[in-house]
Amino acid sequence: MHIGIAGNIGCGKTTLTRLLAEHYGWTPKYEAVTYNPYLEDYYKDIPRWSYNLETYFLAQRFKDVLEIASSRDVIIQDRTLQEGVHIFVANNREQGNLSERDYDTYMQLYNLMMSMVNPPDLLIYLKSSVPHLVAQIQKRGRDYEQTISLEYLSGLNRHYEEWIAAYKGRLLTIDADSLDFEHNPEDFASITDKIDAELYGLFK
């Protein structure tokens, strides 16, 4: 089984992935942020490095999905293949950071990959407001993230809402603003209760 965690920068995807993996005994699959060779350059000059960054992420996420498909474990993934296209690439295209030529090439790669893999069996969306995201980004203190603009985060959030509204698969939306699932056991239990009902409830 493949569980995907979706959400904007700073919403708590990695933390929730770790906690749910520990709680259920699932295998976590984390996004390759620390080792991305383009990330710091990207936040310094987004138009110059958008295509490079997004293509690198696409290749890594496709590799992850192929590994997930061949595994017998229940795997929980920190950010999904689809988000790269429907959120980040769409936002960069809209803001003029990605040329139509690069966008068309990227979409050819993406569509070929999607013809070979399936979406997650369950998508968990961590919904967050921009002020909450900003507070979390500042709190974790990654240097390359401190220059992210409010316009950029707002654009990503809008694309997330549009994507989720049209999403056709099994979906669970969590309001991350109102929860401290890392430090409050009751908040974390409210999430696992919803997951249990979705995956293991009657008539499922």
Side-chain angles (χ1 to χ4, degrees), residues 119-177:
D121 298 294
L122 173 65
L123 182 70
I124 301 172
Y125 170 50
L126 286 178
K127 181 176 180 177
S128 300
S129 67
V130 171
H132 180 77
L133 296 172
V134 170
Q136 293 302 109
I137 289 169
Q138 291 175 342
K139 181 179 177 181
R140 68 187 183 188
R142 294 175 182 166
D143 289 341
Y144 59 83
E145 290 182 343
Q146 302 310 306
T147 58
I148 298 175
S149 69
L150 294 178
E151 178 188 13
Y152 184 76
L153 285 175
S154 296
L156 293 178
N157 249 14
R158 178 167 48 79
H159 283 291
Y160 266 110
E161 291 301 306
E162 292 171 357
W163 176 54
I164 290 298
Y167 190 77
K168 302 300 184 184
R170 185 180 286 185
L171 173 68
L172 179 60
T173 298
I174 304 293
D175 184 356
D177 283 9

Side-chain angles (χ1 to χ4, degrees), residues 8-125:
N8 207 341
I9 301 164
C11 71
K13 293 184 306 301
T14 302
T15 299
L16 186 59
T17 298
R18 173 176 56 81
L19 293 173
L20 290 176
E22 292 172 355
H23 177 80
Y24 288 105
W26 294 341
T27 300
K29 176 73 73 173
Y30 295 106
E31 185 178 34
V33 172
T34 305
Y35 307 104
N36 190 313
Y38 297 103
L39 202 56
E40 291 193 27
D41 289 330
Y42 173 77
Y43 284 122
K44 292 175 183 176
D45 189 350
I46 291 178
R48 164 63 182 85
W49 294 103
S50 285
Y51 179 76
N52 305 72
L53 178 91
E54 298 298 355
T55 303
Y56 179 87
F57 271 135
L58 182 67
Q60 295 302 308
R61 289 173 186 144
F62 182 60
K63 178 183 176 183
D64 288 345
V65 173
L66 290 178
E67 291 176 357
I68 290 169
S70 65
S71 175
R72 295 184 178 181
D73 294 343
V74 177
I75 296 181
I76 182 164
Q77 184 184 25
D78 173 6
R79 185 160 281 146
T80 63
L81 179 63
Q82 292 88 341
E83 286 172 81
V85 175
H86 297 292
I87 313 304
F88 291 89
V89 169
N91 192 56
N92 275 325
R93 182 192 187 197
E94 182 178 88
Q95 294 190 359
N97 297 324
L98 193 67
S99 71
E100 287 301 307
R101 179 179 63 177
D102 286 346
Y103 176 77
D104 289 344
T105 301
Y106 180 93
M107 289 305 296
Q108 288 182 48
L109 290 170
Y110 172 73
N111 289 328
L112 177 62
M113 291 174 180
M114 285 305 298
S115 71
M116 302 169 64
V117 298
N118 295 316
D121 298 294
L122 173 65
L123 182 70
I124 301 172
Y125 170 50

